[in-house]
Amino acid sequence: GENVEQHPSTLSVQEGDSAVIKCTYSDSASNYFPWYKQELGKRPQLIIDIRSNVGEKKDQRIAVTLNKTAKHFSLHITETQPEDSAVYFCAASSRGNNRLAFGKGNQVVVIP
Amino acid sequence: NAGVTQTPKFQVLKTGQSMTLQCAQDMNHEYMSWYRQDPGMGLRLIHYSVGAGITDQGEVPNGYNVSRSTTEDFPLRLLSAAPSQTSVYFCASSGQGGAYGYTFGSGTRLTVV
């Protein structure tokens, strides 16, 4: 099945700086790649996603880039704010897009 | 429109007891899944369903059963609870023709003693 890995496991950034989280996946047939944000004690929430026919997608301060050849995709957060502190999960579709395989998550800490 | 509703929010079970975690959605979504979340392990898929009457196993199905008799409901049954099933359980649903843009429920925190 699909195997998704995230790096680094923990990332600390100064407020206002950029944060980048990278994920790799194993199944070349995967074609949908979402990112979820989970604040402490809350449910995961979708923040951005990308499909394999697109190389980059932006939504205000967040963007996702996809490199299908290398089988990796990245989350970019610019001008980080304290409310960006959370665990971020990447995922990749599998089994004909009927299920999502998640990475283990990245803890992002924004230092005021 | 309540979205995805999970009950109960908290539960303590004794080893060997059985119980059902409830999940209901009011968005007419076809796709529903159950995940468990453990520290350092991310979200692991237990079971999923692509429509009423259709279910399939995920990564960690042992010790759990599901059924999907209606579009709205997707209960998760623990047959004989074990301490290893102590976890936070999330139900998720999607109506976009696949596991796209899942909406998660608020979770059930289960402790097995």
Side-chain angles (χ1 to χ4, degrees):
Chain A
E2 176 64 274
N3 182 42
V4 179
E5 295 187 356
Q6 294 185 236
H7 306 278
S9 59
T10 303
L11 179 63
S12 295
V13 296
Q14 291 292 136
E15 183 177 355
D17 287 351
S18 296
V20 181
I21 306 168
K22 179 179 175 179
C23 278
T24 59
Y25 62 98
S26 61
D27 187 353
S28 57
S30 292
N31 61 7
Y32 173 67
F33 308 94
W35 284 91
Y36 286 81
K37 175 183 180 182
Q38 187 179 32
E39 298 175 355
L40 189 62
K42 297 190 176 180
R43 73 190 79 187
Q45 291 196 301
L46 178 70
I47 56 172
I48 196 167
D49 56 11
I50 193 169
R51 304 202 183 194
S52 59
N53 59 345
V54 176
E56 181 176 359
K57 183 176 178 181
K58 293 183 71 174
D59 183 2
Q60 299 182 347
R61 294 188 297 108
I62 60 173
V64 56
T65 57
L66 172 65
N67 184 328
K68 286 206 69 179
T69 303
K71 289 192 284 187
H72 68 71
F73 56 111
S74 299
L75 178 70
H76 305 255
I77 307 173
T78 59
E79 301 174 17
T80 53
Q81 301 169 4
E83 53 264 38
D84 295 328
S85 294
V87 177
Y88 292 82
F89 292 96
C90 63
S93 63
S94 63
R95 296 282 184 93
N97 297 326
N98 287 337
R99 51 194 270 184
L100 287 178
F102 283 82
K104 294 183 178 180
N106 294 97
Q107 175 75 57
V108 173
V109 178
V110 179
I111 303 166
Chain B
N1 190 336
V4 180
T5 302
Q6 287 184 239
T7 56
K9 293 191 182 302
F10 302 94
Q11 183 70 50
V12 179
L13 287 179
K14 293 183 178 179
T15 297
Q17 286 185 318
S18 63
M19 79 159 294
T20 299
L21 306 186
Q22 301 292 345
C23 177
Q25 51 89 11
D26 60 1
M27 299 173 284
N28 202 31
H29 283 176
E30 292 295 324
Y31 284 73
M32 297 186 75
S33 296
W34 276 101
Y35 287 86
R36 61 176 289 174
Q37 184 174 28
D38 303 290
M41 299 297 293
L43 293 155
R44 292 184 292 170
L45 182 64
I46 305 171
H47 287 284
Y48 67 101
S49 169
V50 301
I54 306 169
T55 64
D56 205 349
Q57 295 182 350
E59 303 171 61
V60 289
N62 292 341
Y64 307 96
N65 274 356
V66 292
S67 61
R68 186 92 181 273
S69 57
T70 67
T71 298
E72 294 77 22
D73 300 299
F74 191 43
L76 178 71
R77 297 183 188 84
L78 278 70
L79 309 173
S80 177
S84 60
Q85 293 179 304
T86 294
S87 187
V88 178
Y89 292 85
F90 287 101
C91 178
S93 75
S94 170
Q96 301 182 47
Y100 301 126
Y102 266 139
T103 297
F104 281 84
S106 57
T108 295
R109 184 174 294 275
L110 176 68
T111 302
V112 183
V113 298

